[in-house]
Amino acid sequence: MWIVLVFMLNLYLQNCAADICNWIGSGLAPGADPRAVLQVRLRCTEGSVRWVYPGQALRVVLEPNPSFSLRSNVCIKPRGSFHGASVFMERSGALELLVTDGWRPEQVFCFRADGPQRFALYIQASPQDEGTQRRRTMGFRYELLRNRSAFSARHGGLQASCQPCNDTELLMAVCNSDFVVRGHIKNVSHDAEQQTSLVEVATGRLYRQRSGVFQREVVAMGSVSSWRGHIRMLLQCRVKPGGGVFLFTGSEHFGEAWLGCAPRYKHFLSVYQAAQVAHLNPCDFPLD
């Protein structure tokens, strides 16, 4: 009886995979052709894939809607339970290994599209006996990025320029960034293994954020003091704690904030006000 239930569940999960952001499926279908490759097509700019009891092979095509034509890079981040399969990307008709069975979940992999608006991943289940197969699950999250995203290179999936933004880049950053906050650096920690730095920020004003990266800090008697959060950047930028108020901007990926432009707030004010006089501001920004 349980075999029939597993088979029906497997068919249901696989049939629900078309034209959605997230996919979950199982490799326990009885009588499955070991040469068969399950085809999955997802049309969102971000989502997840989870394969329970990996078996045979899985091909995932990420093909966003035409409204996202500028998204020419994709990044994937394996989940902590990544066991039982390896992930390859398809490029020019060949397969390139991205993630091996048992890879660390903190690593992020990014690559460019193989043709216009088309990303294809091939997932091959690892050979294993029946006893271990039932304890294995693989999964990852994916994000499709714009051409100039600061998160779209090969070094652990990360790229960031340590040079200060020019005035034009700064004005665009306050309009287009996933988060914009004003505050100061409270602490900095470094991770030599991941080659990243984690900047703890205490903010006096939160202008915008895409998700809940920055949270209100509640102190004694239930009063609220400020917004607090963490921003990541590359270790090579050698960021240090320092005084002064900054305007932090950047992008959010896989639930984390990554630094873009971070001028001192006084410098931003002078740049913005000069552009305002010249009618060159790409968007309005509150100056309070």
Side-chain angles (χ1 to χ4, degrees):
M1 181 66 181
W2 71 270
I3 295 179
V4 175
L5 292 176
V6 169
F7 177 70
M8 294 178 63
L9 176 61
N10 184 59
L11 288 180
Y12 170 77
L13 293 173
Q14 294 179 6
N15 289 336
C16 290
D19 296 343
I20 58 175
C21 303
N22 309 305
W23 180 88
I24 179 172
S26 171
L28 279 184
D33 185 350
R35 299 167 297 178
V37 178
L38 178 63
Q39 302 286 335
V40 174
R41 190 175 299 271
L42 304 177
R43 296 190 179 275
C44 297
T45 58
E46 59 183 87
S48 64
V49 172
R50 185 167 180 260
W51 198 12
V52 185
Y53 315 125
Q56 296 86 49
L58 175 68
R59 185 173 183 266
V60 179
V61 177
L62 307 177
E63 193 171 36
N65 293 323
S67 58
F68 301 108
S69 58
L70 295 180
R71 314 255 173 167
S72 63
N73 299 276
V74 65
C75 292
I76 67 170
K77 183 175 183 179
R79 294 187 179 275
S81 59
F82 195 95
H83 297 287
S86 296
V87 179
F88 301 80
M89 69 173 177
E90 294 185 8
R91 186 184 297 277
S92 301
L95 297 179
E96 297 182 19
L97 180 63
L98 284 180
V99 189
T100 58
D101 189 353
W103 192 270
R104 291 185 322 173
E106 296 301 320
Q107 187 75 26
V108 175
F109 302 88
C110 301
F111 56 94
R112 294 186 62 82
D114 186 16
Q117 290 186 268
R118 182 179 176 279
F119 308 87
L121 300 170
Y122 183 85
I123 303 157
Q124 178 65 57
S126 303
Q128 49 201 288
D129 59 56
E130 183 178 354
T132 59
Q133 183 184 33
R134 297 188 181 183
R135 296 195 297 267
R136 302 242 174 182
T137 301
M138 65 76 60
F140 59 84
R141 296 165 64 186
Y142 70 87
E143 289 188 4
L144 274 64
L145 311 176
R146 296 182 181 90
N147 291 345
R148 298 195 173 200
S149 173
F151 200 72
S152 58
R154 283 290 297 180
H155 181 78
L158 312 176
Q159 176 176 328
S161 172
C162 298
Q163 299 299 320
C165 297
N166 60 38
D167 292 351
T168 301
E169 292 169 334
L170 175 55
L171 293 173
M172 292 301 298
V174 298
C175 300
N176 300 329
S177 293
D178 291 337
F179 66 87
V180 181
V181 297
R182 185 179 72 205
H184 65 274
I185 299 176
K186 184 178 180 182
N187 189 33
V188 179
S189 58
H190 304 289
D191 188 335
E193 185 176 3
Q194 293 292 323
Q195 288 294 293
T196 59
S197 297
L198 188 64
V199 181
E200 183 180 358
V201 174
T203 72
R205 173 71 188 272
L206 174 67
Y207 297 97
R208 180 171 69 252
Q209 65 174 334
R210 184 162 61 89
S211 59
V213 174
F214 296 90
Q215 299 285 334
R216 284 281 195 182
E217 182 186 40
V218 180
V219 294
M221 304 300 294
S223 61
V224 177
S225 60
S226 67
W227 293 86
R228 292 187 182 273
H230 293 83
I231 304 175
R232 289 191 178 275
M233 62 187 304
L234 291 185
L235 184 63
Q236 68 191 44
C237 295
R238 299 180 180 179
V239 62
K240 297 179 180 179
V245 178
F246 296 84
L247 188 69
F248 299 97
T249 70
S251 55
E252 298 179 24
H253 301 286
F254 302 111
E256 296 180 326
W258 288 87
L259 189 65
C261 299
R264 291 188 179 273
Y265 186 66
K266 289 184 177 180
H267 174 66
F268 164 74
L269 285 180
S270 65
V271 171
Y272 183 85
Q273 290 169 345
Q276 194 173 40
V277 171
H279 303 286
L280 295 176
N281 280 328
C283 67
D284 293 327
F285 188 81
L287 300 180
D288 59 320

